[in-house]
Amino acid sequence: MHSPLRIWAERSLLIFAVAMIVTVYFYVTTPDLRDLIRPHHCLFNQATGLLCPACGGTRALSQLLSGRLVLALNSNALAVFILPLVIYGTVTAFRLVFDHNFSPSDIRIAPFWLWSLLVLVIVFWIIRNLPLFSFLSPI
Amino acid sequence: MTDTKPVAVESSNNTLGIISLIAGIVGVLLFVCCPYISVVLGIVALICGILAYQQQQQYALAGIILGATSILLGIIFVIVGQALFRELMYVLEREMRF
């Protein structure tokens, strides 16, 4: 029952998992490595001076990995809230490929929550640029 | 008659189609600021879109198109984004000076 596509997907996901574990391990254990990683500067921010929804995302993840939750929330609250969803998505992708009893039609999330996610991203984009919500912009 | 029942049940579950569409929309929205995220979201949208298309779900085709667009724009911006931006800013500054 192993189709070439499934074998290809299994290998890709395994390589992805190993790469993620190695990256997180070195990132957490080697402080010097953090200085070497130069985040890609946001072109939208450079051009307009405004913040995009992902601005501060790298800083938020870095602070979260160092255990500083409040600073991470200050850098990019959306990234912190979306992280569990990303983990759920990754687990689901692994289950789809490796668990043969799990099919794509078993994924069921109420459409309301999915549309809410899109609205959340757009609303976060707008309000973090307003002076009233300046606490949502990274330091 | 019995053949139509599973199809009706399948079509009421549009989760994959909506995931594909939303990942595609967010991917296309973010291609200027973070093309790496855009490529990842594009791949998610494309895979979910293809799976949803096989199950005849709603929004599947829109998700596939947006996902492909997102991947393409993301890759273009990863390669030429910074250079293109610098050139654009240089031209704008020169125009504003004169």
Side-chain angles (χ1 to χ4, degrees), chain A residues 40-44 46-47 52-54 96 104-109 111 114-115 117-118 121-122 125, chain B residues 10 13 15-16 18-19 21-22 25-26 29-30 32-37 51 55 59 77 81-82 85:
Chain A
H40 168 92
H41 197 97
C42 179
L43 291 180
F44 178 75
Q46 276 182 44
C52 82
L96 273 176
S105 54
D106 292 332
I107 304 168
R108 279 173 187 273
I109 307 168
L114 294 169
W115 290 115
L117 189 69
L118 180 65
V121 172
I122 295 169
W125 193 345
Chain B
E10 286 270 309
N13 177 21
T15 309
L16 275 175
I18 301 172
I19 291 174
L21 182 71
I22 289 170
I25 293 172
V26 177
L29 279 178
L30 294 183
V32 186
C33 55
C34 21
Y36 300 105
I37 296 178
L51 290 172
Q55 296 176 14
Y59 314 118
F77 256 70
Q82 289 283 354
F85 178 78

Side-chain angles (χ1 to χ4, degrees), chain B residues 17-94:
Chain B
I18 301 172
I19 291 174
S20 167
L21 182 71
I22 289 170
I25 293 172
V26 177
V28 169
L29 279 178
L30 294 183
F31 84 94
V32 186
C33 55
C34 21
Y36 300 105
I37 296 178
S38 188
V39 172
V40 173
L41 284 173
I43 293 168
V44 170
L46 201 64
I47 292 171
C48 287
I50 291 167
L51 290 172
Y53 193 74
Q54 285 170 350
Q55 296 176 14
Q56 296 173 327
Q57 290 187 10
Q58 277 184 314
Y59 314 118
L61 199 62
I64 293 171
I65 295 167
L66 281 169
T69 313
S70 179
I71 293 171
L72 200 71
L73 288 173
I75 290 172
I76 291 172
F77 256 70
V78 165
I79 298 166
V80 298
Q82 289 283 354
L84 191 81
F85 178 78
R86 265 191 224 112
E87 188 66 28
L88 198 77
M89 291 306 273
Y90 175 71
V91 171
L92 274 174
E93 271 177 24
R94 202 179 53 187

Side-chain angles (χ1 to χ4, degrees), chain A residues 4-18 97-98:
Chain A
L5 190 70
R6 188 176 272 275
I7 294 168
W8 184 83
E10 281 178 4
R11 283 179 188 165
S12 314
L13 276 181
L14 277 176
I15 293 167
F16 169 76
V18 171
V97 174
F98 292 104

Side-chain angles (χ1 to χ4, degrees), chain A residues 20-42:
Chain A
M20 285 304 288
I21 291 167
V22 169
T23 312
V24 170
Y25 174 76
F26 279 112
Y27 194 85
V28 174
T29 56
T30 324
D32 296 339
L33 199 70
R34 292 175 207 174
D35 300 328
L36 287 175
I37 301 169
R38 291 262 174 268
H40 168 92
H41 197 97
C42 179

